[in-house]
Amino acid sequence: MIEVAETVFSERGYTAASMDEIAERVGVSKPMLYEYFHSKEGLLLACIRDARAALRDTTKRSVADASTAEDAMRRGLHAFFVFIRERRQAWSLLRHEMTLIGTSAAEEIEATRQQQTDLIATLMSGYFDDSDPMRIAAAAEFVVGGCERLAILCERHEGLTPDTVTEYAMGLLWGGLKHSASQ
């Protein structure tokens, strides 16, 4: 149900997506969708939470056996850019928050950003001098914001591969971060 809903929300946008169409594509009744998710917004929230969990799992696994801060950064960035390429519909849900302002979905999307920022900050604190936690927090926020914009660039330019964009990001980010790395 979530996979089909993700597709419909991605294709039509939240406002234009209908529970009738989602139910028909899933092969269940519309009341069944309401039984599970209570509302269209509840279904959207389930989609966003699913995408957030998948993104977290992907990025955590990618850095699990990194040997240096630079290796961890490169692996994490690459995992993110592969995720947005392979899970375009999930990424679409996560990035279209402007249409969702004032909804619980906007809070879920911000929770996704915070999840990634926290993951990056935790990773950085293991490799970088953590005597200034605000510096680590600022760097993590910068990485998340910059990567979101690069992901949008990837959407506009199909030829940009995850490998290429990872190298662009490393070139921009690592130059400033490497001076703080302890390894």
Side-chain angles (χ1 to χ4, degrees), residues 30 104 132:
K30 185 173 157 182
S104 299
D132 184 358

Side-chain angles (χ1 to χ4, degrees), residues 81-146:
F81 292 120
V82 167
F83 178 88
I84 64 152
R85 165 108 6 158
E86 292 177 355
R87 300 273 316 262
R88 288 175 195 261
Q89 293 168 336
W91 169 246
S92 177
L93 287 177
L94 293 174
R95 82 170 186 86
H96 284 102
E97 77 275 7
M98 290 310 291
T99 62
L100 306 171
I101 290 175
T103 68
S104 299
E107 294 170 12
E108 287 294 327
I109 290 168
E110 183 54 34
T112 302
R113 280 190 186 102
Q114 194 59 55
Q115 164 193 287
Q116 292 307 110
T117 302
D118 292 346
L119 181 63
I120 292 166
T122 299
L123 177 66
M124 291 173 102
S125 68
Y127 289 108
F128 294 88
D129 173 13
D130 62 358
S131 62
D132 184 358
M134 209 36 79
R135 181 180 177 92
I136 288 175
E141 293 282 353
F142 190 82
V143 169
V144 169

